[in-house]
Amino acid sequence: MSETAQQDSVRPWRLADWFVRHGRMLVIGLPMLWLGIFFLAPFFVVFKISVSELAIARPPYLPLTSWEDGKLILTLNLGNFQYLIEDSLYVSSYLTSIRIAFFSTIFALLLGYPMAYVIARSTGHRRNILLMLVMLPFWTSFLLRVYAWIGILKANGVINNFLMWTGVIDSPIVMMQTDFATYVGIVYTYLPFMILPLYANLAKLDTTLLEASSDLGARPLTTFLTITLPLSIPGIVAGSMLVFIPAIGEFVVPTLLGGPDTLMIGRVLWSEFFNNRDWPVASAVAMAMLVLLVLPVMWLRRAQSQQEAG
Amino acid sequence: MTSKPSPAQDNPWQSDNVKPFIRIRNVTKKFGPVAAVDDVSLDIYKGELFCLLGGSGSGKSTLLRMLAGFEEPTAGSIEIDGQDMAHVPAYERPTNMMFQSYALFPHMSVERNVAYGLHRDNVAKGEIRQRVADMLELVQLSGYGRRKPNQLSGGQRQRVALARALIKRPKLLLLDEPLGALDKKLREETQFELVTIQETLGVTFIVVTHDQEEAMTLSTRIGVMNNGKIEQVGEPREIYEFPGNRFVADFIGSVNMFEGIVTETEADFVRIRSKDADCDIYVSHGVGCAPNQKLWYALRPEKMEISRERPDQKENFFEGIVEDIAYMGNQSAYRIRLKSGMVVRLTRTNRDRGEETPITWEETVFVSWGPSAGVVLIA
């Protein structure tokens, strides 16, 4: 090969080299940029508001920095957080949120696990139809579906009418504006988020493991408890996270279906923002919730990755 | 010359008064309209290492799965140790299986995998520990008990699977392609280990394999399966030297198949005229056949002589041209084209080191064989 030909062939290779070296950065960089703009930046805005002071202004809080006598003064008002602890309303609504989210997750798991199991065990056409049925509700607006539940649960709704007609009850059962209705709404709404990761996990399960277990003398229940269940833990964790985390901050369901005493943190946040126009406290509520959620999730992820490694 | 090897009295399958350990009677398994196993009857005796040999889709794995209890026969019965296995679920059968994929529980350590069967039977903790340690020693895996399956090599996983299947001291061990996932060298070593373990423990083994060499090395007897049926059952030597039909002759080892017409049939000899072989074939024992009947003569490549000189006999030789030679060290393989157009495969042991003028390409040669070298096949 001649000298010039070799030099010519260098140029296009340089570009390729650049991609090889920086392609990784490019691929990772785009989502990072996205997260930076749409997650991290708003996060800092909320954080800033949470440590600022309430003011009757527009926006309704004071700036963090001020200029006095040639000094730049940074005022961090931690009073909003202190207020969260002092006023029992916040603590109790956090606890209510966690309780409702926790039990909703348990119910969704108990309902979703058998459903995911059946879908994973069925084949071909049947499996597709069942998966479709799980995802079908997403084609209707979430708000509409929650309203539909009002029609089902209210005093002269579908359930009460049916029970009265059959003569099981004389007067309607009060279901609307109770914790029960909140649970129904949340479990109903988030069930697909439990089923899909569980299904993805259970569908991967190697059925010869179940045969091996049976072959070694395990009855079906023992096989489930010693093989299927432990191997599906990643699916259980993923599904539970996808239900638990949004359920804690859920606003629509407790507002529409829950009673006045179902104080979940999402509702408190809303009324702080829009009824009291107390943005700093509302932001403090949001920050506290984030910390409350992120810490256990991070701990779980760490435990999971350690388990996978070991 | 007899047609079959003389029966040795110590083999249970040749004795009339030994009860078979496993009786498979007219077992059929249908998946939809397709019969994966078609009316199979088979007796297997205690202490045997029985190989089910066949290609993919021959029904050998389905038969094994029916023995394990993972599939119910559509028709027929299976008896293990005198007990009818109909409606006995897998977890209550006196069998254990070693899976082709090993099916080790990925979330359990080697020890817990091996102990799994004992835990299910509520064996005392101390005894479990002892038996697991003994078993790991038997399969040469002491010291690996704490590892997870994904920290082991293929050969080690294979031995964990074997240990797990043997720990309950099953009456019958079913092995599905036990050596299939190992490389050639490891496979050869493990073959002998498997036989040693089988002899030490005295467990009856049924091995499913598609590898005829493996079947030959391992087994006391082989059942050759094809299209859901058993074509022939016999000792490895019997299957190789006295195949019962063309499928078996062709499936086991390599063979040259000549079609021919019976010209003479007597009690102690048969003469066949074959267009394929371009000569008369003389067989020095009687065959149940009629004159002018069409049949096949199967001749293994190593049972023939190759030479430049015309042999001094009237039959059992033909002339051909060397089309191809493959030198393989210990032996050479020749492909010889006959006048009929047929290509015959022939192997010869390389006995001399410095052959001065070896037979070479395009040379005309004579191929001959003895009167008892080949097998007459009616079907």
Side-chain angles (χ1 to χ4, degrees), chain B residues 152-165:
Chain B
L152 299 177
S153 71
Q156 288 166 338
R157 267 180 238 173
Q158 190 261 2
R159 289 189 301 220
V160 176
L162 184 63
R164 190 180 68 175

Side-chain angles (χ1 to χ4, degrees), chain A residues 90-106:
Chain A
Y90 299 104
V91 175
S92 79
S93 51
Y94 273 125
L95 290 179
T96 311
S97 292
I98 290 172
R99 192 193 74 222
I100 289 181
F102 178 76
F103 286 110
S104 300
T105 307
I106 300 282

Side-chain angles (χ1 to χ4, degrees), chain A residues 206 208-220 222-223 226-228 230-231 307-310, chain B residues 65 68 70 90-92 95-97 99 101 103-108 113 116-117 120 148 164-165 168:
Chain A
D206 182 1
T208 56
L209 295 182
L210 308 182
E211 285 177 351
S213 169
S214 174
D215 185 65
L216 291 165
R219 290 166 173 280
T222 315
T223 297
T226 54
I227 309 296
T228 311
L231 286 175
Q307 196 190 16
E308 270 161 32
Chain B
R65 290 172 60 78
F70 302 139
Y91 52 85
E92 280 173 4
T95 63
N96 282 126
M97 179 145 161
F99 291 79
S101 61
L104 298 179
F105 305 130
H107 57 304
M108 295 183 192
N113 261 287
Y116 190 84
R120 300 289 79 77
K148 286 274 179 73
R164 190 180 68 175
K168 291 181 81 172

Side-chain angles (χ1 to χ4, degrees), chain A residues 26 36 62 93 105 116 120 139 154 191 203 209 213 217 249 251 263 268 281:
Chain A
L26 208 68
L62 293 175
S93 51
T105 307
W139 294 18
K154 67 184 176 183
L191 192 57
L209 295 182
S213 169
F251 166 72
L263 264 184
V268 172
V281 167

Side-chain angles (χ1 to χ4, degrees), chain A residues 191-269:
Chain A
L191 192 57
F193 296 103
M194 179 64 87
I195 293 178
L196 292 177
L198 272 175
Y199 158 76
N201 175 282
L202 289 169
K204 274 190 310 190
L205 182 70
D206 182 1
T207 49
T208 56
L209 295 182
L210 308 182
E211 285 177 351
S213 169
S214 174
D215 185 65
L216 291 165
R219 290 166 173 280
L221 183 65
T222 315
T223 297
F224 176 77
L225 293 176
T226 54
I227 309 296
T228 311
L229 198 59
L231 286 175
S232 64
I233 283 173
I236 294 175
V237 171
S240 300
M241 285 292 164
L242 285 181
V243 174
F244 183 76
I245 293 169
I248 278 198
E250 181 57 46
F251 166 72
V252 174
V253 173
T255 309
L256 292 181
L257 302 178
D261 50 335
T262 318
L263 264 184
M264 287 183 73
I265 206 68
R267 275 177 89 179
V268 172
L269 199 69

Side-chain angles (χ1 to χ4, degrees), chain B residues 272-336:
Chain B
I272 300 161
R273 173 153 302 147
S274 170
K275 254 196 201 137
D276 285 346
D278 205 16
C279 69
D280 277 0
I281 297 164
Y282 175 81
V283 182
S284 61
H285 59 80
V287 177
C289 61
N292 291 324
Q293 189 184 341
K294 183 171 121 178
L295 36 64
W296 292 268
Y297 188 68
L299 199 53
R300 301 247 181 235
E302 75 278 9
K303 305 250 188 289
M304 295 176 273
E305 300 281 344
I306 184 168
S307 126
R308 285 196 181 94
E309 284 92 47
R310 177 180 290 270
D312 184 23
Q313 57 198 67
K314 280 195 297 223
E315 54 259 300
N316 291 3
F317 79 93
F318 49 67
E319 193 181 324
I321 294 165
V322 177
E323 201 179 69
D324 217 342
I325 305 172
Y327 176 77
M328 294 182 288
N330 59 339
Q331 60 176 19
S332 294
Y334 299 83
R335 287 164 62 86
I336 294 155

